[in-house]
Amino acid sequence: MALTACSIVVTVAAAARSTVPGTPEQPRLPALQADSLAARYAANHRFIARSERAARDMGDTGRAKVLGRLAREDRHFLSFSPRGDGQAVEVLGDLAHADRIAVVVPGSDTTVDTFDQLGTVYASLNGGARSLHAEMTKLQPDRKTAVVAWYGYPAPRTMSRDIVSTDRALDGGRRLAGLLGDLRTVNASASVSMLCHSYGSVVCATALRRMDAAAESSLADVVLYGSPGTGVRSRAELHTRVPVWAGRGATDWIAGVPHVSLDLLGEQVGFGTDPVTAAFGARIFPAGAGSHSDYLRPGGLALRNISLIALGRGTEVSHD
């Protein structure tokens, strides 16, 4: 009952925020291509700036402060929406000319408001993506890399029924598969890694089962970390040719989540086999002693190993 009440409060609050008069209309963006990236970034920058002014005019100082950070001139967004919990897809690096592209797919409690700050900075989507890009650059400064911080789906809240259901992942997986196709249009020569945290693992697994052969042809690796499961029983059920990696920090509470999957009145509840077990069949990488939010912590073993995989250097992954 308490979870249901909490879910209702969150839903009502988000709906109220998304329908406040004065919210700017979404701009018409140019098609996602290499030669349209600058125009797309500029259009989203203007839209975020207008959204910030609208939030201030409506007295939403908290959201206005968030949008002010997102509206900095040095930030580049492929897409953005301020409505409800929002949507934001940010690019770090030169997407059109990168040799390796890493797409960071977040888990629960990701919103526009937490995009830059969720507990520790590196636990936020933007903070983790920046840590990853910095580590990849440090490990191989001569390689052109880009990182996409992809908050492109309505992530569930931890204190809601959605957190144990695949419903949000079904929508998210469809959108993520579309992004992989778009990235191939922008840069067909780049190798792409999907880096999937927590509930984001379920989103990535759904995307794998939905993407077409052209989108998958650019995919080099899938990395699951802090994962509650993927919604399938084994790696084989993902029907992908690419390597699938899995890691878990020694103090990550997600280890205690029941690894079951049940069909309750036509709805799948739970996410099945633990990805770090032999039964699942993933390649295991050591993730150190960290907790659920520590995987992209600067200086950590998990960040180094995830970065090596994203660089195509999986054979160098540490084993201690």
Side-chain angles (χ1 to χ4, degrees):
M1 179 67 74
L3 288 180
T4 302
C6 180
S7 178
I8 292 172
V9 169
V10 168
T11 302
V12 171
R17 190 175 229 169
S18 69
T19 56
V20 173
T23 302
E25 291 296 320
Q26 293 281 148
R28 294 187 64 179
L29 299 174
L32 193 50
Q33 300 173 342
D35 60 3
S36 68
L37 284 175
R40 195 173 176 107
Y41 294 155
N44 278 314
H45 176 267
R46 292 190 295 271
F47 181 42
I48 295 170
R50 291 200 305 272
S51 299
E52 178 197 5
R53 291 192 293 272
R56 291 194 185 281
D57 290 344
M58 292 183 285
D60 192 346
T61 56
R63 176 60 67 88
K65 184 176 180 181
V66 167
L67 297 180
R69 291 195 298 266
L70 300 186
R72 291 200 324 252
E73 291 283 355
D74 62 341
R75 302 187 70 169
H76 301 130
F77 288 87
L78 286 179
S79 60
F80 170 80
S81 172
R83 296 182 178 276
D85 284 344
Q87 301 280 301
V89 179
E90 185 173 14
V91 175
L92 308 175
D94 186 348
L95 192 63
H97 299 100
D99 301 317
R100 306 286 304 198
I101 299 172
V103 180
V104 183
V105 181
S108 62
D109 297 327
T110 305
T111 68
V112 162
D113 297 307
T114 66
F115 190 86
D116 279 357
Q117 186 69 49
L118 180 63
T120 53
V121 172
Y122 58 79
S124 69
L125 178 53
N126 170 262
R130 289 184 182 276
S131 294
L132 176 72
H133 194 229
E135 183 73 6
M136 292 173 70
T137 301
K138 183 179 76 173
L139 288 170
Q140 196 161 349
D142 61 336
R143 170 153 271 179
K144 297 176 183 177
T145 61
V147 174
V148 179
W150 186 78
Y151 171 45
Y153 79 109
R157 299 299 180 98
T158 297
M159 296 299 291
S160 75
R161 62 181 293 278
D162 291 323
I163 197 63
V164 296
S165 166
T166 59
D167 286 355
R168 298 290 181 100
L170 293 174
D171 180 36
R174 175 184 58 78
R175 300 186 191 195
L176 181 57
L179 174 77
L180 268 289
D182 289 340
L183 292 180
R184 181 168 173 76
T185 300
V186 171
N187 184 346
S189 64
S191 296
V192 180
S193 295
M194 291 198 306
L195 311 182
C196 318
H197 179 234
S198 195
Y199 189 89
S201 299
V202 193
V203 177
C204 286
T206 305
L208 282 172
R209 301 197 302 276
R210 285 175 173 262
M211 70 179 60
D212 59 28
E216 189 181 1
S217 67
S218 296
L219 195 60
D221 296 278
V222 178
V223 185
L224 315 174
Y225 50 101
S227 173
T230 60
V232 299
R233 291 171 295 183
S234 70
R235 181 213 175 282
E237 292 186 9
L238 295 175
H239 304 298
T240 182
R241 58 173 180 78
V242 304
V244 178
W245 298 77
R248 177 179 297 142
T251 57
D252 189 341
W253 58 264
I254 205 83
V257 171
H259 293 285
V260 297
S261 181
L262 304 172
D263 188 318
L264 297 179
L265 301 176
E267 181 178 15
Q268 184 178 339
V269 176
F271 308 119
T273 309
D274 186 344
V276 299
T277 61
F280 186 79
R283 301 182 184 185
I284 304 302
F285 71 90
S291 63
H292 194 62
S293 298
D294 289 339
Y295 292 93
L296 300 183
R297 176 174 57 83
L301 179 63
L303 175 62
R304 177 180 173 82
N305 283 337
I306 291 170
S307 298
L308 285 169
I309 296 167
L311 285 166
R313 294 164 54 182
T315 57
E316 300 175 46
V317 163
S318 305
H319 293 288
D320 51 25

